[in-house]
Amino acid sequence: MRLTVQTDYALRLLMFLAQRQGELATIAEIAARYGISRNHLMKVAHVLARAGFVKSTRGRAGGLALARPADEIAIGAVARHLERDSALVECFRADGNACRITGACRLQGVLYRALEAFFAVLDDCTLADLVDDNDALGRLLKEHAA
């Protein structure tokens, strides 16, 4: 299983916001700290806001913050939301499957179970599990300030 860049950026953005503990952070600040594309991060933030993981405040003093406590944000829920359109293999695609052996193939069931096991591990982890008592992460995010 390989997560998309969008999911990777989303998880990094959420960890950054969780480290800020309610303080607003800007897209520019987060992008600079991680050394990633500001435009791509803006799209990710929009998706997270629409899904209710992040709240966005516009204006001069605006920015992003978590929409709910970090211990209420399951990493699996975030990954499932962002990966819902990503097919592991062709036969998982909702928009068409041209695989000629789908009707007789047992691999699809095995891969589905493996994918569910992957997400089950992520479901057991919250954003708080990733950032609480993680002083090393806090230092790294502060050290790389723009």
Side-chain angles (χ1 to χ4, degrees):
M1 176 70 193
R2 181 181 176 105
L3 297 175
T4 62
V5 171
Q6 183 179 30
T7 302
D8 177 23
Y9 285 9
L11 295 172
R12 289 197 236 176
L13 184 147
L14 290 170
M15 288 190 303
F16 186 93
L17 296 178
Q19 280 284 320
R20 296 296 287 263
Q21 299 180 5
E23 293 178 29
L24 294 178
T26 66
I27 295 288
E29 178 184 14
I30 299 166
R33 298 270 173 100
Y34 283 122
I36 59 180
S37 164
R38 183 178 172 203
N39 289 335
H40 198 93
L41 195 59
M42 194 175 314
K43 293 174 189 173
V44 169
H46 179 72
V47 170
L48 290 173
R50 289 189 62 178
F53 295 112
V54 168
K55 61 183 174 183
S56 176
T57 305
R58 294 195 181 273
R60 185 178 179 104
L64 301 170
L66 294 179
R68 54 185 185 256
D71 64 351
E72 294 179 14
I73 298 176
I75 300 305
V78 176
R80 284 178 196 277
H81 181 77
L82 290 158
E83 296 289 330
R84 68 177 179 248
D85 295 329
S86 179
L88 184 61
V89 289
E90 182 179 351
C91 57
F92 283 26
R93 291 179 49 173
D95 63 345
N97 172 15
C99 181
R100 294 181 177 181
I101 64 169
T102 297
C105 183
R106 293 179 180 162
L107 181 60
Q108 184 180 23
V110 171
L111 291 176
Y112 179 79
R113 288 195 320 271
L115 185 61
E116 285 304 305
F118 175 82
F119 281 117
V121 170
L122 296 180
D123 288 337
D124 285 340
C125 179
T126 68
L127 185 56
D129 294 329
L130 301 178
V131 300
D132 287 356
D133 300 320
N134 190 343
D135 295 334
L137 177 63
R139 282 191 304 276
L140 284 171
L141 291 177
K142 288 177 185 161
E143 286 174 9
H144 294 95

